[in-house]
């Protein structure tokens, strides 16, 4: 059987994940809440992200809905550290002033 020659300019397939991330970023509304939601899991860790989700924002204060009062209480105690980590993950000039934790269905 004859060998197939590579077509000129042919490249190996690239992973789809990078393209999906770029598309998602370009479609996300440029609000503070959207940016926090986009970076929440990477800033807090998957375990926290499964139990608590950013749901509202007003004047730089982001409300986090927690699965239980225990999670809300624990995260409120960790709030200064979470706030610092989250603000480091956000683009320059974008700042969350405060995190508030409430118990709401996720």
């Amino acid at each position: 059987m004859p060998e197939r020659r590579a077509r000129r300019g042919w490249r190996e397939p690239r992973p789809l994940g990078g393209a999906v991330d770029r598309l998602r970023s370009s479609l996300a509304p440029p609000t503070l809440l959207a940016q926090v939601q986009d970076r929440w899991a990477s800033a807090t860790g998957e375990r926290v992200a499964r139990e608590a989700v950013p749901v509202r924002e007003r004047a730089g204060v982001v409300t986090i809905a927690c699965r239980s009062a225990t999670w809300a209480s624990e995260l409120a105690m960790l709030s200064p550290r979470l706030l610092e980590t989250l603000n480091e993950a956000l683009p320059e000039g974008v700042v969350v002033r405060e995190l508030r934790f409430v118990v709401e269905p996720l």
Side-chain angles (χ1 to χ4, degrees):
M1 236 183 203
E3 279 187 42
R4 288 187 177 179
R5 292 187 183 183
R7 289 186 280 175
R8 184 174 217 153
W10 177 260
R11 292 187 251 167
E12 290 294 319
R14 292 180 282 176
L16 188 58
V20 171
D21 287 342
R22 285 189 300 279
L23 177 63
R24 186 173 52 108
S25 293
S26 71
L27 296 176
T31 64
L32 176 57
L33 180 59
Q35 292 180 11
V36 169
Q37 289 171 330
D38 187 50
R39 291 162 178 86
W40 181 250
S42 63
T44 63
E46 290 297 324
R47 177 73 173 129
V48 171
R50 282 194 304 270
E51 304 295 333
V53 178
V55 292
R56 289 182 292 283
E57 181 273 332
R58 184 173 185 167
V61 178
V62 176
T63 301
I64 311 295
C66 300
R67 193 175 300 280
S68 70
T70 303
W71 272 102
S73 178
E74 288 293 322
L75 294 177
M77 287 188 284
L78 294 171
S79 183
R81 188 169 132 214
L82 290 172
L83 186 59
E84 181 180 346
T85 303
L86 183 59
N87 279 325
E88 287 172 359
L90 292 170
E92 189 173 327
V94 178
V95 178
V96 174
R97 290 186 316 106
E98 182 182 342
L99 295 173
R100 291 196 180 152
F101 301 91
V102 298
V103 180
E104 290 183 7
L106 301 183

